[in-house]
Amino acid sequence: MADPFGFLKYEKKENPARAVAERIKDWEEIQVPLSTKECQEQAARCMGCGIPFCHTGTFFGGKKTVSGCPNDNLIPEWNDLVHQGRFKDAFERLARTNPLPEMTGRVCPAPCEQSCTEALNGEGVTIHENERFIIDTAFEEDWVKESGLPGESTGFKIAIIGSGPAGLSAAWRLNQLGHAVTIYERSDRFGGLLMYGIPNMKLDKEIVQRRIDLMMDLGITFVANTEIGRDIAAEELQANYDRVVIATGASVPRDLKVSGRELNGIRYAVDYLTETTKDILKHGKQATSRKLEGKHVVVIGGGDTAVDCVASALRQGAASIKQLNINPELPHERTADNPWPEYPQVDKLGYGQIEAHEVYGGSIKLNSINTTAFIGAERGQLIGVEVVRMKDRYEEIPESKTILKADLVLLAMGFSGPERSLFEEFGVEEIYDDNTTNNERILVAGDAKRGPSLVIWGIKEGRMTAEKIDQSLRALVYQ
């Protein structure tokens, strides 16, 4: 700890967001990075405490939300190095555990900050922003390529199915360890949800592509527009590679099967966000199309994807937006059964909700609302959504049904899990805790194994899967 009084000298200061009136006119990233001096001051707030909950990655009390970073990031070490101005050392420390910090430094909800010791009686350290500062500096100084140089070739070949966080993380680590890696992606671009599931204003696609380009330069092979089981048989992949990693994510969206579901104008959020990103990649970040001008949009869901849909629809000129959530509104402060260092289950406004509030002059969030039917016109076009207010998740309030105008409904209720057909192709019936399966040549990592989760979990599982493969293959050499 370079400055034992840093947490007393400096107040927490996060990367500021651009003004709403400015940022809703484009698809540029929302955040404006702090200066180098400000980042060093923020890093100085880290106390280097004896029990750093920030990197515990613990589920307290059997709850489903992780507290602290699950990726083994030794956060106090690189905070100290940033404060000292030893930026390359900070990068080397960070890169030992996180091969994709430019992604987590932009989109991670930072459970590490909430479990920071300073958050017990104040505000935690700006770990999220510090991580972004380190990796952005590393790319500017051209340190990243050196950290990913492949080791001596082992002669082993590994195929990875899926190019999201888990697939990229596994590929990066396997390449470092000297294995030949090929990533297969069924989409036209690489990055999985990093490319098409997270909008550009949260994660610029140039950032994602920069990492892909670097990985190609380091010898990793990428194959797009290729679906395993259709374009290439599972048997062929197993015959040509020593190990195969399934890292396809949890790509099956949750549906809402109520009356009128067949109407035109009801879309899954991921499809809408993919289309929006493709428009940006084609026309540029300054081209905010008005394709939703005059349209009334209803977003169903309460998570980050729903907020992304709100922000995107706003930039496309929606006349109105409503966000429906079946869950009741969370408390505004921690309750007694949600103590530190648990992740705080409190109500907060996402960036898209803040934007919509300012543009439309009021809150767009409707909690304790259940959708009971979609209403259509004669030709099958959506015109409204029938909703009812709930006492809780299971009991409706009598006489509370109403209809909201809707030209477009976006289903943003999360994902139920991975597509099962690929597992069947490879004969995978069981997945074990160490990411191995009943088929010794097949491993599963990330959301494809654990279900919908954070980007940092995908990175962790990709890295651990790579090291598991390395150990098993090297053991063969010495048998």
Side-chain angles (χ1 to χ4, degrees):
M1 179 171 51
D3 188 345
F5 302 104
F7 72 103
L8 297 173
K9 291 180 183 178
Y10 310 110
E11 292 185 357
K12 182 177 183 178
K13 184 177 182 181
E14 298 178 332
N15 291 341
R18 294 190 291 142
V20 170
E22 171 193 340
R23 72 196 200 211
I24 63 171
K25 296 177 182 178
D26 59 45
W27 300 92
E28 300 280 358
E29 284 192 346
I30 291 171
Q31 285 193 333
V32 180
L34 297 173
S35 68
T36 297
K37 181 175 182 294
E38 289 173 315
C39 287
Q40 289 183 267
E41 290 174 351
Q42 290 303 302
R45 296 183 68 245
C46 180
M47 298 185 296
C49 51
I51 307 176
F53 288 88
C54 57
H55 60 78
T56 56
T58 301
F59 293 92
F60 288 101
K63 296 186 177 179
K64 295 181 179 180
T65 306
V66 71
S67 177
C69 180
N71 192 42
D72 312 319
N73 291 335
L74 296 180
I75 294 162
E77 293 187 18
W78 44 259
N79 272 332
D80 186 15
L81 292 167
V82 168
H83 173 64
Q84 294 181 54
R86 296 167 57 187
F87 303 140
K88 187 173 184 180
D89 290 337
F91 165 67
E92 289 174 349
R93 171 66 272 182
L94 173 60
R96 289 183 190 178
T97 55
N98 188 353
L100 306 172
E102 69 271 33
M103 315 303 177
T104 51
R106 286 169 167 80
V107 303
C108 187
C112 51
E113 293 186 19
Q114 304 299 334
S115 66
C116 171
T117 305
E118 289 185 37
L120 177 58
N121 290 301
E123 294 188 281
V125 174
T126 55
I127 300 166
H128 183 260
E129 281 81 354
N130 298 353
E131 185 175 41
R132 173 175 171 170
F133 168 76
I134 292 169
I135 187 60
D136 285 355
T137 301
F139 269 107
E140 289 169 6
E141 299 294 334
D142 201 25
W143 298 331
V144 184
K145 182 175 182 179
E146 180 184 352
S147 73
L149 292 173
E152 183 179 352
S153 174
T154 63
F156 292 113
K157 297 192 299 180
I158 293 90
I160 297 176
I161 308 172
S163 63
L168 294 179
S169 176
W172 182 269
R173 185 63 181 134
L174 286 164
N175 192 60
Q176 281 181 320
L177 293 166
H179 305 294
V181 182
T182 300
I183 295 180
Y184 291 93
E185 170 60 55
R186 69 180 177 183
S187 183
D188 63 330
R189 285 179 179 261
F190 305 105
L193 289 181
L194 297 172
M195 178 60 71
Y196 282 140
I198 301 172
N200 202 83
M201 56 276 197
K202 277 177 68 175
L203 176 60
D204 196 306
K205 302 315 154 191
E206 293 178 7
I207 298 295
V208 180
Q209 192 59 48
R210 179 179 63 182
R211 175 64 67 167
I212 302 297
D213 292 342
L214 175 58
M215 294 175 73
M216 290 180 177
D217 194 30
L218 289 168
I220 297 170
T221 301
F222 286 79
V223 181
N225 298 306
T226 302
E227 184 170 354
I228 305 305
R230 186 190 67 182
D231 301 307
I232 299 177
E235 293 83 359
E236 181 181 345
L237 214 63
Q238 289 190 88
N240 292 332
Y241 293 91
D242 299 287
R243 293 290 185 272
V244 176
V245 179
I246 298 175
T248 51
S251 56
V252 180
R254 289 196 178 95
D255 204 350
L256 185 58
K257 296 181 179 179
V258 298
S259 174
R261 175 62 180 87
E262 75 285 352
L263 293 169
N264 296 323
I266 303 169
R267 306 188 64 188
Y268 289 119
V270 67
D271 295 336
Y272 166 72
L273 293 173
T274 297
E275 178 187 276
T276 301
T277 297
K278 288 184 175 182
D279 285 345
I280 297 165
L281 291 168
K282 181 178 180 180
H283 300 293
K285 291 177 281 189
Q286 299 300 318
T288 51
S289 70
R290 309 302 292 176
K291 64 169 56 179
L292 293 181
E293 193 161 16
K295 304 293 185 181
H296 300 281
V297 178
V298 172
V299 180
I300 301 177
D304 289 340
T305 300
V307 174
D308 292 339
C309 288
V310 168
S312 298
L314 182 63
R315 283 162 174 76
Q316 292 179 339
S320 72
I321 303 175
K322 295 295 183 186
Q323 182 187 348
L324 314 183
N325 188 353
I326 195 172
N327 295 307
E329 185 177 26
L330 292 170
H332 294 281
E333 296 181 354
R334 285 183 184 268
T335 55
D337 63 349
N338 179 216
W340 177 90
E342 290 181 2
Y343 193 84
Q345 303 299 321
V346 296
D347 187 60
K348 58 183 179 181
L349 289 178
Y351 75 102
Q353 294 160 338
I354 292 170
E355 293 169 352
H357 192 151
E358 185 167 324
V359 171
Y360 300 118
S363 176
I364 63 163
K365 294 171 60 179
L366 297 175
N367 285 86
S368 298
I369 296 292
N370 187 32
T371 300
T372 52
F374 298 116
I375 311 300
E378 290 183 2
R379 295 186 178 182
Q381 177 61 41
L382 176 78
I383 60 172
V385 178
E386 182 187 78
V387 299
V388 63
R389 190 167 293 279
M390 308 293 288
K391 285 184 180 179
D392 52 40
R393 281 181 60 94
Y394 307 102
E395 185 179 356
E396 297 180 359
I397 297 176
E399 310 298 327
S400 68
K401 280 190 177 179
T402 188
I403 295 177
L404 304 175
K405 282 186 179 180
D407 302 293
L408 173 66
V409 165
L410 298 173
L411 303 179
M413 302 175 295
F415 298 86
S416 61
E419 298 172 29
R420 304 307 306 179
S421 58
L422 194 59
F423 294 82
E424 295 167 2
E425 291 273 349
F426 286 104
V428 172
E429 298 174 353
E430 293 184 75
I431 305 172
Y432 307 118
D433 290 342
D434 63 356
N435 295 358
T436 59
T437 72
N438 59 289
N439 183 337
E440 65 176 3
R441 296 171 68 87
I442 310 300
L443 294 91
V444 183
D447 289 3
K449 172 198 168 190
R450 64 183 302 113
S453 191
L454 303 177
V455 168
I456 192 63
W457 274 114
I459 291 172
K460 164 71 175 290
E461 293 216 342
R463 178 169 61 87
M464 301 307 291
T465 300
E467 292 176 359
K468 183 70 178 180
I469 289 172
D470 182 66
Q471 292 169 6
S472 67
L473 292 177
R474 289 182 189 276
L476 294 176
V477 176
Y478 297 104
Q479 283 184 352

